[in-house]
Amino acid sequence: MHIHASIFKEVSAMKSMVLNLYGDDAQFKAAEIADPVVTPGHVLVRIAASSVNTVDTMIRKMGQDQLPLSPDLPAVLGMDFAGTVEAVGEGVDGFKPGDEVYGCAGGLIGLQGTLAEFINADAKLIAHKPKSLTMREAAAIPLVGITAFEGLMRAGVKEGQTVLVHGGVGGVGHLAVQLAKHMGADVYATIRDDNEVGTIEGYGAKAINFTNEAVTDYVAKHTGGTGFDVVFDSVGGANMTNSFEAAALNGQVATTVSMLELDLTPAHFKGLSIHVVFMLIPMLHNHGREQHGQILAELARVADAGALKPLVDEMSFGLAEVGAAYDRLASGKAKGKIVISN
């Protein structure tokens, strides 16, 4: 029997880039998927830009077998975004259609990512976009900005303290440098290339090239040998031993990468406090999500006060070029955050 297609209800669809498998050679494919429908406690956002984070590239490569937080296949990745509110769900206050917002609200198991035209985002995970920044700039902030802010807060950074940021021009690091400076600290940041000195000094901080200056030397030079009050380690891993060495007695060490076995003896004899920052916890466990919205609102205030500006890589990518954007991050050649424009 022949049935005319028009009797079926038409389902609106949106453009997206999806992964049909995970792995080193996993390719993003253009696909049309059903438009998200706004739900209670959420806002529907038309995405103007999204940014690429290291965790996104890890998910693409490793998938659920190695990273259980990865979305089910076919997967729409991407966590950060900036865009315009299209609709507001029941019970949402503070947002209305037409508002420009930004946040980190997708790309994990159970949460559609941002490599699409729209996202149904939990209102607790977003905030009004900084007025002084473009959509591209705003999209570069959420994950790394929340991470930097949380690490500095957990370490209790105060005015007049000495703060060392490892990885000063990295995604998290360059925002941690600016935020610590805004908090009134005397800020230092490690770099690997003298071409990065200007960037660090532009933030009002002092650059330390770790490739030609030993930890003991720069601790002696900048702190008189007493060590830094706070060390924010956005490099982590084996570099944590350098953080322990650089920290003052009873100092604070915040790290974003601590998935390793490590001898804590040096930290013990200095009485160090170690703070592990894993900003995906609210998204993964639906725990304290409103804190992310509050931090994003504060970051917007700091940005609009002229004290926070993300470093955006000079290369620009469209949604269809997401594979090239991920490759750009993996190449190590990017300077600043990589942003994808819709």
Side-chain angles (χ1 to χ4, degrees):
M1 181 175 66
H2 179 72
I3 303 175
H4 199 274
S6 63
I7 70 168
F8 292 106
K9 184 180 179 182
E10 194 174 306
V11 177
S12 58
M14 65 173 174
K15 294 177 183 176
S16 69
M17 297 297 290
V18 304
L19 286 178
N20 292 308
L21 53 84
Y22 288 118
D24 289 327
D25 301 319
Q27 300 294 311
F28 290 95
K29 302 291 185 183
E32 289 203 344
I33 61 175
D35 276 344
V37 176
V38 70
T39 54
H42 289 62
V43 294
L44 183 66
V45 180
R46 179 183 290 274
I47 298 170
S50 61
S51 70
V52 186
N53 293 290
T54 301
V55 66
D56 298 318
T57 65
M58 292 170 63
I59 288 173
R60 176 196 187 186
K61 179 180 180 179
M62 300 166 71
Q64 290 181 329
D65 290 343
Q66 299 176 71
L67 275 182
L69 53 80
S70 304
D72 294 336
L73 294 172
V76 179
L77 303 192
M79 300 183 187
D80 288 338
F81 69 93
T84 305
V85 175
E86 292 272 317
V88 175
E90 183 182 341
V92 173
D93 297 317
F95 299 104
K96 64 183 186 304
D99 284 352
E100 294 185 338
V101 296
Y102 76 137
C104 178
L108 296 174
I109 189 165
L111 298 172
Q112 178 217 300
T114 57
L115 297 178
E117 290 182 280
F118 299 96
I119 185 170
N120 181 39
D122 188 333
K124 295 176 181 176
L125 295 171
I126 68 172
H128 293 278
K129 179 185 80 66
K131 293 180 175 65
S132 60
L133 301 183
T134 65
M135 287 287 192
R136 283 175 53 78
E137 290 170 332
I141 290 178
L143 185 147
V144 291
I146 292 169
T147 302
F149 189 90
E150 183 181 341
L152 294 172
M153 288 292 100
R154 298 259 300 274
V157 173
K158 302 181 188 68
E159 186 173 353
Q161 287 187 317
T162 53
V163 174
L164 172 66
V165 177
H166 281 303
V169 297
V172 173
H174 85 286
L175 295 184
V177 169
Q178 295 177 67
L179 288 170
K181 186 70 180 176
H182 179 68
M183 293 169 183
D186 185 15
V187 186
Y188 301 80
T190 59
I191 57 172
R192 65 166 62 246
D193 189 325
D194 286 339
N195 291 332
E196 298 167 345
V197 170
T199 299
I200 298 301
E201 291 181 345
Y203 298 145
K206 301 175 187 70
I208 299 168
N209 189 330
F210 73 87
T211 65
N212 55 32
E213 201 167 358
V215 177
T216 51
D217 293 337
Y218 65 69
V219 167
K221 177 179 177 181
H222 299 298
T223 72
T226 61
F228 297 89
D229 297 314
V230 175
V231 180
F232 190 111
D233 194 341
S234 69
V235 177
N239 191 64
M240 285 180 66
T241 57
N242 293 327
S243 294
F244 298 161
E245 187 178 353
L249 298 176
N250 292 324
Q252 309 285 323
V253 176
T255 179
T256 60
V257 185
S258 54
M259 296 172 286
L260 78 164
E261 292 186 8
L262 195 65
D263 182 2
L264 296 179
T265 302
H268 176 90
F269 282 109
K270 279 190 169 182
L272 302 181
S273 296
I274 302 169
H275 309 274
V276 176
V277 181
F278 183 47
M279 71 78 67
L280 298 180
I281 286 173
M283 293 169 64
L284 283 170
H285 301 287
N286 194 9
H287 172 77
R289 287 184 174 183
E290 63 281 352
Q291 293 173 11
H292 278 195
Q294 292 163 4
I295 292 172
L296 288 169
E298 177 61 24
L299 294 176
R301 284 191 286 271
V302 175
D304 286 340
L308 185 71
K309 191 173 179 69
L311 188 62
V312 177
D313 188 54
E314 62 184 4
M315 295 286 286
S316 183
F317 302 92
L319 185 59
E321 301 167 306
V322 59
Y326 274 57
D327 292 344
R328 172 75 172 170
L329 180 57
S331 74
K333 295 177 182 177
K335 185 176 182 182
K337 289 295 299 294
I338 294 166
V339 177
I340 297 166
S341 299
N342 277 17

